[in-house]
Amino acid sequence: MIGFFRSSPLVRPHMRSLIKHAVSGTVVGVTALLAACNPTTLSGPGFGTGTNQPLTIAEPTGEVLGSGSVRVALLAPISAQGIFGQSGQALRNAAAMALQDYSSADLQVIVKDVGQNTSEASQQASKALAEGAQLVIGPLRSDAVKRAGMVLKPAGVPMIAFTTDTGAAAQGVYLINFSPENDVERIISYAASQGKRSLAAIVPQTPYGNIVEAALRQNAARYGVRVMTIENYKSGNQPDPFGLQNAAEQIAKLKDQIDAVFVPEAAAAVSAAQLLAGQGVRNKSVTFLGTGQWDQPTITREPMLDGAWYPAPPRVLRNLDGRTIGFDSFARRYAAQFGSEPPRVASLAYDSVILAAALVAQAGERRFAADTLTDPNGFIGFGDGFFRFRRDGTSQRSLAIMQISKGSSSIVSDAPMSAAGLPK
């Protein structure tokens, strides 16, 4: 198995040697990736000292983080307006944190601002290639990922991107974020394990809704759950109340035949639960099922959603020495250094840089080869737990199951911390 954090006694001494300095009395456990077996010999252009690297490598332009010999690029929308710009800056900050924590990393991160215009992503990807980047981390938006991928894939340089749109994934374009498909697989498999056999769903008429519906049908069939009806509504800034009302009325006709109701979109969850209660479909008779979008106080405070289940990345993890890691720990440290709460995606940037640095330390010339990045045993990140990349570029992430109760939520099923806990 390969992991950022690992409890095997075979690697424990090595891991201790890589634990870094203490911050405010709490050890920041940043370790290299560790392999339990020798990696296979890999070949192909664009990795390590691949033959398609430019003969003359240009000096990097823009901000450079770190001073190692291996160069990777971070594509982030730093100058974009609004939330995208804020997220872009957070990605840069998280990358800087990672290199501070992993101070021995033989890594140099060249920061490329892709701004607001998606065409800038391809231009900055080209600059990254010319400047000798062997791996690209980012960008954030799906269209920017696709643009950058068109430049990087022919050059054989892999990318670890942050979009949740699995349509942007491809061989060599790996998505590290949490996907709707992961959410659906986890919640349906858990519901089935708890005896749920028949459900209704309320799904938005959006690209996201289309992805969720396809995943629902696939996983319901896989886990033996009957989908009695899928009701749709128009979604925008505010979900269509008439569509939700109609959905509630249709589901009420089946209330004696269902034991669960799946509402993936957080914006519709509270209204749907209240409308269903008005039709006699209450949380006393059915269990409401959600997605990672539900991981917010406005959902957990709704009384009609008491007892509901939803998947979410683990916010608190333990490393091999029993110290606390995970997003909450990362967020506290980020806020202390940068003066603001990080967006959820920031920890993924942190883990991506640590992953790159650790692979440089462990895998030599094979560090960014496909078989290294897609090791089926996966990785354990500091911020968000276990994950692994598939060869098609999609990923499987470790998710806990949360249960809502009296205005808050708690874990009822832990997030798996190894490949053995994930579906095949």
Side-chain angles (χ1 to χ4, degrees):
M1 176 182 177
I2 298 177
F4 289 76
F5 300 94
R6 182 122 182 262
S7 58
S8 169
L10 296 175
V11 298
R12 191 180 294 266
H14 187 193
M15 293 187 70
R16 286 200 191 98
S17 71
L18 292 167
I19 293 178
K20 302 304 168 187
H21 57 280
V23 177
S24 301
T26 302
V27 171
V28 181
V30 179
T31 66
L33 283 171
L34 301 165
C37 55
N38 293 326
T40 55
T41 301
L42 306 171
S43 61
F47 304 106
T49 56
T51 57
N52 64 340
Q53 289 290 333
L55 295 177
T56 302
I57 296 177
E59 284 299 310
T61 56
E63 184 179 18
V64 177
L65 306 173
S67 57
S69 66
V70 177
R71 197 171 284 175
V72 304
L74 172 68
L75 305 189
I78 296 171
S79 64
Q81 298 297 310
I83 192 169
F84 286 112
Q86 296 167 20
S87 296
Q89 184 62 47
L91 295 175
R92 177 266 169 213
N93 292 345
M97 275 182 64
L99 289 178
Q100 290 166 14
D101 291 342
Y102 198 160
S103 57
S104 64
D106 187 18
L107 199 69
Q108 187 179 101
V109 178
I110 52 178
V111 181
K112 299 296 181 186
D113 180 12
V114 299
Q116 192 115 351
N117 190 335
T118 57
S119 63
E120 190 71 14
S122 57
Q123 295 173 23
Q124 294 296 345
S126 295
K127 289 182 180 179
L129 287 178
E131 293 167 13
Q134 298 177 23
L135 172 74
V136 170
I137 298 170
L140 178 61
R141 297 175 59 181
S142 174
D143 46 3
V145 172
K146 293 174 182 177
R147 286 289 192 99
M150 292 174 66
V151 174
L152 297 172
K153 282 190 290 183
V157 172
M159 176 165 53
I160 298 175
F162 303 119
T163 180
T164 61
D165 177 13
T166 52
Q171 289 186 356
V173 179
Y174 305 103
L175 308 188
I176 196 171
N177 213 329
F178 298 87
S179 71
E181 291 93 335
N182 267 196
D183 278 2
V184 176
E185 181 179 57
R186 181 69 167 110
I187 192 62
I188 297 302
S189 64
Y190 179 75
S193 75
Q194 300 303 300
K196 302 303 177 183
R197 291 292 177 262
S198 181
L199 65 77
I202 304 178
V203 178
Q205 293 176 327
T206 61
Y208 168 78
N210 294 338
I211 292 169
V212 167
E213 181 171 337
L216 171 61
R217 293 185 185 279
Q218 178 183 5
N219 285 285
R222 180 178 183 180
Y223 293 105
V225 178
R226 187 178 181 188
V227 179
M228 298 299 296
T229 184
I230 298 178
E231 300 297 328
N232 299 114
Y233 62 94
K234 294 181 180 178
S235 180
N237 292 331
Q238 293 293 329
D240 169 26
F242 299 105
L244 290 177
Q245 177 65 44
N246 180 67
E249 291 172 358
Q250 296 304 311
I251 290 173
K253 297 175 183 178
L254 302 169
K255 63 183 179 181
D256 295 329
Q257 302 175 52
I258 59 174
D259 51 25
V261 176
F262 177 49
V263 187
E265 191 177 52
V270 171
S271 296
Q274 292 173 348
L275 289 167
L276 283 163
Q279 296 290 325
V281 183
R282 295 177 173 270
N283 53 357
K284 302 295 184 183
S285 58
V286 301
T287 299
F288 285 94
L289 310 176
T291 65
Q293 289 191 15
W294 282 32
D295 197 23
Q296 53 181 285
T298 54
I299 302 295
T300 57
R301 287 196 295 260
E302 171 53 47
M304 290 297 104
L305 290 174
D306 243 36
W309 299 325
Y310 65 89
R315 300 183 69 90
V316 177
L317 301 166
R318 302 265 177 199
N319 71 2
L320 66 89
D321 294 317
R323 296 181 179 91
T324 300
I325 59 175
F327 181 79
D328 285 354
S329 176
F330 166 82
R332 284 192 297 270
R333 294 180 48 237
Y334 181 101
Q337 182 167 347
F338 298 106
S340 62
E341 292 296 318
R344 202 65 174 81
V345 71
S347 62
L348 299 175
Y350 180 97
D351 282 351
S352 296
V353 173
I354 294 292
L355 171 61
L359 288 175
V360 168
Q362 291 273 327
E365 295 300 315
R366 298 179 289 273
R367 50 188 168 258
F368 304 138
D371 284 1
T372 302
L373 289 168
T374 61
D375 186 315
N377 292 309
F379 313 101
I380 300 176
F382 182 98
D384 294 294
F386 181 84
F387 68 96
R388 62 181 173 186
F389 296 123
R390 298 184 178 101
R391 295 193 70 86
D392 65 1
T394 61
S395 64
Q396 284 182 294
R397 302 269 352 186
S398 178
L399 298 169
I401 295 293
M402 312 298 294
Q403 183 174 46
I404 297 173
S405 178
K406 298 179 181 178
S408 63
S409 62
S410 59
I411 294 175
V412 292
S413 177
D414 287 328
M417 296 306 282
S418 72
L422 295 181
K424 300 297 184 185

